[in-house]
Amino acid sequence: MTNSPRKGFASRSLSLARDRSIPRLATLLCLCILFIAGTLAIGVAGTTGAGQNFRGSGPTSLDIIARTSSAPTEAPTGFDTNSIDPTDTTHTADLMTFEEVDTPAKGLGPTYNAQSCRECHQSPSTGGISQVTELRVGHVDNFGRFTNPSVLIGNGSVTIPNRSLINDRGICPSGTAADGEAQEVVPDGMNVRTLRTSLNTLGDGFIESISSADIMNIANKQCRGTEGQICGQVIFVPVGEAPGQTRVARFGWKNQHASLLSFSADAYLNEIGITNRLQPQDVTAYCKTTTDPEDITDPTDNLADIDRFARFMRFSKAPARDANLANTPEAAAGAQIFDRIGCDTCHVSSITTAPAGSVINGGQFTVPDALGNKIIHPFSDFLLHNVGTGDGIVQNGGPNTANKMRTPPLWGVRLRSRLLHDGTALTFNEAIQRHGGEASQVTHAFHNLSNAERQELLTFLKSL
C-alpha cells in the first residue's frame, strides 16, 4: 500500500525534526519543569483545592508535624485559672503579669485603650472576654477602595498615619490647650466605622497548636461539601518572631495573627501603647517620656512581658461547657439540629491539635505534651467568611476580605451578653437571624424549624 503524499511529507518532516530538535527538546523540557514548579508555587500562595483561596505574602512555611501512635485525649477545660500542665511552676507568675496595671512610667500610651491585658480579657476569669470594645474606622471611595485614615492628635499638630484603630485614651490631657493633648478622634469623612468586642483567649494555646494543614483541609472540605456556597478563606500572615516567615492565620476578628507571641506584641503596642522587641516603635512620640522598646527582657529568665503573656495564654484551660445543661435531652437534640441544618459547617465542633514535638510558628515554637494531640471543641473553623455581618475594614487579607470575619469560636458563648463582632446582637436568636451571605441557606433552614426545634437548638447553644 502506497503512502499518500501528505503522509510522506509528515514522515519526512518528523524525521528531520528529530535530527534537529534534540537540543531544542531539552530546552523545552527545562521550561516545562520550571512552569510546573511555578504553578505549584502559585498554588500554595494563590489558589488551590476546590476553588479555595489561600492568600498571603512572603515565604509560606507549613508546620513540621511530628508523628504519634498515641490516641488523642480531651483537652482540659475550666475557669479556675490553673495551668493545663500540673508540673507548671510559672503559670501563677504569668497570670500576675497578664493582670499587671501599666503606667506611663513603664511606657503606657501615648494613646491606648487599656492599662492591662486583664482589662479586656476578664470574664468569667482572667483571659476570658469582656464588655470592652475597640473602635475602628476607614474610608471607601467611589471605586470601592478602602483606605486607613491619618489620625490627628495635639489639635492637628501631629499625624498618626495609616491607622484604622482609634484609641479611646491618652496619657497627656492638658486642660489648658488642645495642642497639648494626645487623644485620638475620628477624622471627618470616615464612612466605615465599627466596634469590635474583646475576644476570649482561654484555650488559645490549643488553637495555636492546630496544624496549618488541618485548617486548610477544613477549608477545602467545606467548599467541596457545599458546592461552593460556603468557602472559608485561608490567609497567611507574618510570624513576628520568625522574620520572613508566614503561617495560616487564626487569631483576631480578621485573622490578623497566627502565633500568640505575635498577638501579644501587637496588643501590647496598639491597645496599651507599650513597645517591645517585635513592635519596637510607638505609633507616636508625642508627649512620650520613655525609650523604645519599653518591654525589656528580664535578665533572670531572658523573658519579656510579651513572652509571659503568650505563655499564660498557651497554658490556660479551654472554656468549659455547662455540663448539667449539656447532658439534658433538649441540649442533645439541639446538638443534632445544629449539625443537621449546617451550623457545624463553619462552627466545627471538634479538632485535634498537632502531636507533641511538632514545630510551628516558623520554627520558633515546639508543641509541648500539654498541648499536643488534644481534642478540642472550639466550634470554629478559624476561616474568614462573608455572612453578612462584616465590618468593612481591610487588614491582612486584602480588599476582598473587607466584609469577611473569622468564625468566632462558640466555646464559652453562654457567658457573653453581647454577640457578633460589634456586640450589637443581644440574643442567640438575633445573632442567628443576622447571618446571611454564605450562611443564608443555614439561616433559611433555621427559619423552617418548628418552635420546639428552635428551643432545643437554643438550649444547646446555652450549654456551650
Side-chain angles (χ1 to χ4, degrees):
M1 182 174 173
T2 305
N3 290 331
S4 69
R6 182 172 295 178
K7 287 182 178 178
F9 175 79
S11 177
R12 288 192 301 272
S13 297
L14 285 171
S15 176
L16 184 61
R18 287 192 194 101
D19 294 338
R20 294 180 177 176
S21 63
I22 291 176
R24 195 175 301 167
L25 182 60
T27 301
L28 287 172
L29 188 59
C30 289
L31 288 172
C32 286
I33 292 171
L34 289 171
F35 175 77
I36 292 169
T39 302
L40 290 174
I42 292 170
V44 172
T47 306
T48 187
Q52 181 57 47
N53 289 324
F54 294 85
R55 294 184 61 87
S57 60
T60 299
S61 137
L62 291 182
D63 308 317
I64 301 172
I65 304 303
R67 294 185 178 182
T68 182
S69 58
S70 301
T73 57
E74 290 283 335
T77 63
F79 297 109
D80 54 17
T81 70
N82 292 332
S83 174
I84 59 174
D85 182 358
T87 66
D88 188 348
T89 60
T90 64
H91 196 66
T92 299
D94 293 339
L95 166 67
M96 294 176 64
T97 303
F98 197 88
E99 293 180 336
E100 180 184 1
V101 176
D102 293 309
T103 64
K106 186 177 177 180
L108 178 71
T111 65
Y112 68 101
N113 279 330
Q115 294 174 282
S116 75
C117 299
R118 184 182 182 275
E119 198 170 326
C120 292
H121 305 284
Q122 61 171 356
S123 180
S125 61
T126 299
I129 61 164
S130 75
Q131 77 285 0
V132 175
T133 57
E134 68 172 24
L135 172 63
R136 287 187 179 267
V137 301
H139 182 266
V140 174
D141 64 18
N142 293 334
F143 299 98
R145 295 173 298 201
F146 176 87
T147 55
N148 288 320
S150 291
V151 179
L152 301 178
I153 60 175
N155 199 26
S157 62
V158 176
T159 300
I160 304 176
N162 193 34
R163 185 165 175 81
S164 69
L165 177 63
I166 306 296
N167 286 138
D168 287 328
R169 303 178 185 177
I171 63 170
C172 48
S174 169
T176 58
D179 58 4
E181 297 179 336
Q183 179 61 52
E184 295 182 343
V185 293
V186 177
D188 291 334
M190 296 299 104
N191 54 8
V192 178
R193 66 275 305 273
T194 185
L195 296 176
R196 288 191 192 165
T197 60
S198 301
L199 286 164
N200 166 75
T201 69
L202 299 175
D204 275 0
F206 297 108
I207 296 172
E208 183 179 39
S209 299
I210 299 171
S211 157
S212 293
D214 283 348
I215 295 178
M216 295 168 73
N217 288 338
I218 290 171
N220 276 324
K221 179 181 177 181
Q222 184 181 88
C223 201
R224 289 195 302 267
T226 64
E227 297 182 345
Q229 171 66 26
I230 299 176
C231 282
Q233 182 174 343
V234 173
I235 63 171
F236 289 84
V237 294
V239 179
E241 61 268 38
Q245 296 297 311
T246 61
R247 188 177 186 234
V248 171
R250 61 202 66 198
F251 296 118
W253 280 110
K254 288 286 191 177
N255 265 354
Q256 302 99 295
H257 292 291
S259 94
L260 287 174
L261 187 59
S262 294
F263 163 69
S264 297
D266 183 9
Y268 214 18
L269 171 65
N270 287 298
E271 305 294 345
I272 300 178
I274 293 184
T275 55
N276 50 79
R277 70 177 185 274
L278 300 187
Q279 300 279 353
Q281 186 173 353
D282 235 320
V283 297
T284 179
Y286 188 72
C287 73
K288 179 181 172 69
T289 60
T290 51
T291 303
D292 293 333
E294 294 150 334
D295 180 24
I296 304 299
T297 300
D298 186 335
T300 62
D301 58 8
N302 292 319
L303 298 178
D305 284 353
I306 58 171
D307 301 297
R308 297 186 180 93
F309 299 155
R311 190 168 62 182
F312 169 73
M313 290 185 283
R314 282 169 176 158
F315 286 88
S316 292
K317 295 178 181 179
R321 288 188 69 178
D322 180 338
N324 291 330
L325 187 58
N327 289 325
T328 63
E330 292 79 10
Q336 293 180 355
I337 295 168
F338 185 88
D339 294 349
R340 190 183 81 218
I341 68 174
C343 300
D344 66 331
T345 305
C346 299
H347 293 284
V348 179
S349 60
S350 296
I351 299 175
T352 301
T353 64
S358 299
V359 179
I360 62 176
N361 296 344
Q364 298 302 302
F365 184 67
T366 300
V367 176
D369 290 337
L371 291 170
N373 204 26
K374 294 293 185 290
I375 303 169
I376 60 173
H377 306 283
F379 293 92
S380 176
D381 56 11
F382 306 102
L383 302 170
L384 293 175
H385 291 275
N386 184 348
V387 296
T389 62
D391 64 7
I393 302 293
V394 176
Q395 288 183 262
N396 297 68
N400 78 323
T401 63
N403 288 307
K404 293 183 179 182
M405 309 297 290
R406 181 193 71 156
T407 303
L410 296 183
W411 54 11
V413 70
R414 72 184 186 280
L415 301 171
R416 302 177 197 172
S417 59
R418 306 176 192 184
L419 304 172
L420 301 181
H421 73 274
D422 55 5
T424 55
L426 303 182
T427 67
F428 290 129
N429 186 69
E430 184 180 346
I432 295 169
Q433 301 279 6
R434 291 269 299 274
H435 281 59
E438 293 179 55
S440 57
Q441 292 183 6
V442 179
T443 306
H444 181 72
F446 173 77
H447 290 156
N448 288 335
L449 296 175
S450 68
N451 288 335
E453 289 174 321
R454 288 191 192 185
Q455 287 306 310
E456 288 170 338
L457 176 60
L458 295 177
T459 299
F460 166 69
L461 292 174
K462 291 173 183 176
S463 76
L464 296 181

